[in-house]
Amino acid sequence: MTAPTFDAARPTSDSAVVLRMTDVHSYYGNIHALQGISFEVRAGEIVTLLGANGAGKTTTLKTIHGLIHARKGRIEFEGRDITSMPAHEHVGVGIGQSPEGRRIFSRMTVLENLQMGAYTRRDTSTLHEDYRRVFELFPRLEERRDQSGGTLSGGEQQMLAIGRALMTRPKLLLLDEPSMGLSPILVEQIFAIIQDINRQGTTILLVEQNALMALGVADRGYVLQTGRIVRSGEASALLQDEEVRKAYLGG
C-alpha cells in the first residue's frame, strides 16, 4: 500500500476529539512495534483499526491503555495528556476495554464478573441502572446471571466481556477482536449490539480482522501495516478502496 492519506471530511475541533495519538512509537524490547502512529477518535464515532496479524492493532490498544508505554509521541484523552498514565488509572478517566480473548473471570458468576467491572466506581447509586442496561443489551446474560463465566459459550463470554467493560461507564470503549472465534450468526449479533451501544452515546474504537463487518458499522477507519497507518478515511470510502478490498475484503 502507498503512504498515508488522512481524511479531512469532518471538522476536527479539539472539543470533538475524544482520543488523539500523535507520532506514537512503542516497542517490545528492541522490536519497533508502532512506528509513528497518528490518528484521532471523535465523540460519538465508531472508528475501526484494520490490518493483518502483527500489524500493530492490539499493540495500539495496549499503548492507549498504558499496558505498553510509548517511548515517543503523545496520547491525549479529552485533551489531557495520558501518555505516561498508569494502566489502572484509565478506567477512572473514562476508558474501558473489552480485551482480545475476553479474559473473563471463569470461576465467577456472570453477575460477579459485572460487579468486578464496577469495582472502582464510587457512583453506586447508578449501579442498578447499569446492570439493567447490560441485561437489556445482552438478555442471555440475565438468563445466566448465576452461572460461572467459564461454562458460557464463546459468544456469551464475549457478551460478558463487553458487558463488564460497560459497567465502568466508559466515555471511550476499546473493543479488541470482538468477533474472534464466533459463528457468523453470533458475529452479526455482536456487531448489532456494538451499534446499539454507540447509539446510546458511547464512543468506540474497534480493532477487528473482519474488515467487512467492521467497516459496515464504523464511521471511519485506519489501516495498519507493520506498525504504520497506510490508509485512512470514511468507512464507506475504504469499502470501495481497491487496495483495501484486495488486501482485506477478498475483492
Side-chain angles (χ1 to χ4, degrees), residues 125-214:
S125 62
T126 59
L127 284 177
H128 181 72
E129 174 187 339
D130 291 327
Y131 288 129
R132 185 172 66 248
R133 178 195 182 195
V134 170
F135 288 143
E136 285 176 353
L137 286 166
F138 305 106
R140 201 171 300 181
L141 293 184
E142 185 169 26
E143 296 170 7
R144 291 157 171 73
R145 59 187 295 161
D146 297 318
Q147 188 172 326
S148 296
T151 65
L152 301 178
S153 69
E156 291 163 351
Q157 289 186 13
Q158 185 62 69
M159 294 174 189
L160 182 55
I162 297 174
R164 182 181 60 190
L166 290 175
M167 289 302 298
T168 70
R169 281 208 165 193
K171 300 173 185 177
L172 173 66
L173 178 60
L174 310 180
L175 297 176
D176 195 352
E177 302 287 4
S179 75
M180 182 180 291
L182 303 185
S183 68
I185 292 177
L186 279 176
V187 169
E188 290 185 7
Q189 291 178 4
I190 290 293
F191 274 87
I193 291 167
I194 289 171
Q195 289 179 292
D196 286 342
I197 292 169
N198 179 249
R199 280 192 287 264
Q200 291 175 5
T202 303
T203 303
I204 294 173
L205 178 59
L206 170 67
V207 160
E208 181 56 54
Q209 283 200 49
N210 188 330
L212 185 61
M213 292 297 297

Side-chain angles (χ1 to χ4, degrees), residues 65-67 85-93 120:
H65 224 321
L67 298 171
M85 179 181 285
H88 68 273
E89 295 183 10
H90 283 65
V91 170
V93 300
T120 61

Side-chain angles (χ1 to χ4, degrees), residues 8-67:
R10 298 186 183 191
T12 58
S13 64
D14 284 351
S15 62
V17 176
V18 174
L19 176 75
R20 175 178 285 133
M21 297 185 73
T22 306
D23 192 28
V24 171
H25 295 252
S26 294
Y27 291 75
Y28 291 104
N30 293 322
I31 299 173
H32 197 175
L34 298 185
Q35 303 176 30
I37 295 291
S38 297
F39 70 88
E40 64 184 28
V41 180
R42 304 164 199 159
E45 287 188 313
I46 300 177
V47 173
T48 186
L49 301 180
L50 306 175
N53 284 332
K57 305 186 302 299
T58 294
T59 301
T60 300
L61 294 193
K62 287 182 176 180
T63 303
I64 292 168
H65 224 321
L67 298 171

Side-chain angles (χ1 to χ4, degrees), residues 16-17 24 29 67 73 80-81 96 113 122 139 143 145 173 182 201 217-218 220 222 227-228 233 237-239:
V17 176
V24 171
L67 298 171
R80 175 182 179 182
D81 185 356
N113 269 271
R122 297 181 180 179
E143 296 170 7
R145 59 187 295 161
L173 178 60
L182 303 185
V217 302
R220 296 184 301 112
Y222 296 86
R228 299 177 183 273
L238 290 175
L239 277 169

